[in-house]
Amino acid sequence: NRRIVLAERPKGEPTDSTLKLESTDIPSPTDGQMLLRTEFLSLDPYMRGRMSDAPSYAPPVAVGEVVESKREDFDKGDWVLSFNGWQDYALSDGSGVTALGRHPKHPSWALGIMGIPGFTAWAGLTQIGTPKEGETLVVAAATGPVGTTVGQIGKLMGCRVVGVAGGAEKCAYAVDTLGFDACIDHKSDDFAEQLKAATPDGIDIYFENVGGKVLDAVVPLLNIGARVPVCGLVSQYNATSLPDGPDRMNWLMGQILRKQLTVRGFIIFNDFVHLYPEFAKAMSSWIEAGKIHYREEIIDGLENAPRALIGLLKGENFGKRVIRVGNT
Ligand code: NDP
């Protein structure tokens, strides 16, 4: 049973010595337990927070198969969504486990479009962003699992959608495949000017995934009454200190006041869990109708998970990054 554990808490960016691979015996279930074999692991930006000595909001999520069961409610061969840790096998007493049936068509989608990222996008946008037809929606990390979903739902709701992504290839995908109206490369020298040109009517909803210089460029363009669902701040997860330059806290508060902005943070597990069935129904029907594109980046081998997470935090992923564990 291979497993990956934290070797040391990172300062700034995680490195090759942050996580280590070790081996243990495969455990045996006792009454009331079952043994799960991990098939797919989700890699998510929030995992950087779990490596710090500070509160974090979610355990790692995985899709696996029941290989032995001493429980009434699950049988050998059932697929489940669970909180396994980064390891080949895990014991479970059933808590926090969601049944995925015996032969799920796309088991890994439970980690992406039908799981936390898809649900986060839908809930943050519909409940806080409250899009109306003709409004302008800006979303950063636009080609990641949350951003792609936010933008595509925005289009379905009649918004003008402007994505922000790292590099020409990602931006072309957002426009050509996802149908966004524009997508701006945040690595361009004139990023702020390009964003302004792409939002001639200002911004009504900014779905915040990254913070940093994207947020700096967005705030002056926000319209009166704009909504900002604060979902994540990836650009800051490896930061070890506050950014250089003048303190802009009071300027930002002034913008919130004068423009009567709604800026609301949310944690999907805490705020909107009761809405999951509504989300699942809407998303399933959009997928069935071919209205939502979903891109996965599957990386083989549990041993490759640490490097894949380090790269995710730097934008090396193109789509939802999933590890196919490949255990024997
Ligand atoms: P992504 O797959 O989109 O991965 C992160 C992306 O962030 C990278 O691919 C990169 O894309 C972008 N990025 C990294 N550094 C920077 C930077 N300095 N400036 C601008 N962009 C940067 O992640 P997810 O779709 O899984 O998650 C998106 C956000 O949603 C995250 O902030 C995450 O923490 C948050 N989240 C919040 C939840 C909640 O309950 N609040 C639940 C789930 C997710 P690019 O190359 O395009 O720059």
Side-chain angles (χ1 to χ4, degrees):
N1 182 35
R2 300 167 305 160
R3 65 181 191 189
I4 290 174
V5 296
L6 187 66
E8 61 184 30
R9 293 203 189 279
K11 291 186 188 66
E13 229 177 79
T15 66
D16 285 346
S17 49
T18 303
L19 297 163
K20 66 177 181 195
L21 187 68
E22 58 179 40
S23 261
T24 60
D25 293 335
I26 298 176
S28 293
T30 54
D31 281 347
Q33 291 186 322
M34 56 186 169
L35 181 64
L36 306 177
R37 184 177 59 221
T38 316
E39 302 292 344
F40 295 99
L41 277 182
S42 183
L43 295 184
D44 299 276
Y46 70 77
M47 290 170 167
R48 173 62 186 84
R50 292 182 58 79
M51 297 174 184
S52 302
D53 189 14
S56 173
Y57 58 77
V61 60
V63 163
E65 195 177 342
V66 179
V67 287
E68 194 182 340
S69 179
K70 292 192 173 160
R71 294 184 57 81
E72 299 279 300
D73 49 354
F74 288 97
D75 295 322
K76 185 172 187 280
D78 287 345
W79 283 70
V80 294
L81 180 72
S82 64
F83 301 101
N84 275 17
W86 284 15
Q87 55 185 342
D88 286 327
Y89 293 91
L91 284 180
S92 167
D93 64 1
S95 39
V97 171
T98 306
L100 298 177
R102 293 204 59 93
H103 302 288
K105 197 164 161 204
H106 300 290
S108 59
W109 286 18
L111 304 172
I113 189 67
M114 292 306 296
I116 293 169
F119 182 33
T120 298
W122 175 86
L125 182 63
T126 59
Q127 305 303 302
I128 304 174
T130 58
K132 290 170 212 58
E133 200 161 341
E135 288 191 326
T136 298
L137 160 69
V138 170
V139 59
T143 61
V146 174
T148 50
T149 315
V150 167
Q152 292 181 92
I153 298 174
K155 284 306 298 174
L156 290 169
M157 295 187 161
C159 293
R160 172 176 170 79
V161 175
V162 178
V164 173
E169 196 191 355
K170 287 184 177 180
C171 284
Y173 171 77
V175 174
D176 300 340
T177 304
L178 303 179
F180 290 13
D181 297 279
C183 185
I184 315 296
D185 179 359
H186 65 79
K187 294 176 182 164
S188 317
D189 293 338
D190 60 345
F191 165 67
E193 290 77 30
Q194 286 193 45
L195 185 66
K196 187 171 181 194
T199 54
D201 298 329
I203 298 171
D204 301 298
I205 306 162
Y206 172 52
F207 194 101
E208 173 63 300
N209 280 330
V210 301
K213 70 177 192 190
V214 179
L215 175 64
D216 287 346
V218 161
V219 173
L221 305 174
L222 290 170
N223 289 331
I224 289 179
R227 286 83 66 202
V228 182
V230 182
C231 175
L233 296 167
V234 184
S235 77
Q236 306 302 303
Y237 291 175
N238 285 329
T240 50
S241 62
L242 290 170
D244 290 339
D247 179 356
R248 283 160 298 162
M249 180 80 89
N250 286 301
W251 174 80
L252 180 62
M253 293 304 272
Q255 292 281 306
I256 293 172
L257 170 64
R258 277 190 292 281
K259 292 181 176 174
Q260 300 131 69
L261 304 177
T262 300
V263 180
R264 179 177 162 195
F266 70 102
I267 299 293
I268 193 66
F269 304 104
N270 300 347
D271 293 71
F272 299 122
V273 129
H274 60 289
L275 295 176
Y276 183 81
E278 191 184 330
F279 154 75
K281 194 166 162 230
M283 185 53 75
S284 306
S285 70
W286 284 326
I287 290 175
E288 209 163 299
K291 290 184 174 162
I292 294 275
H293 289 269
Y294 178 56
R295 181 175 177 131
E296 263 184 339
E297 197 183 63
I298 293 186
I299 295 175
D300 279 306
L302 177 66
E303 66 283 6
N304 294 318
R307 283 249 166 113
L309 178 63
I310 293 168
L312 171 80
L313 293 165
K314 292 195 276 204
E316 285 170 14
N317 64 308
F318 193 168
K320 169 67 195 174
R321 216 167 234 206
V322 169
I323 298 290
R324 182 159 42 205
V325 175
N327 40 33
T328 47

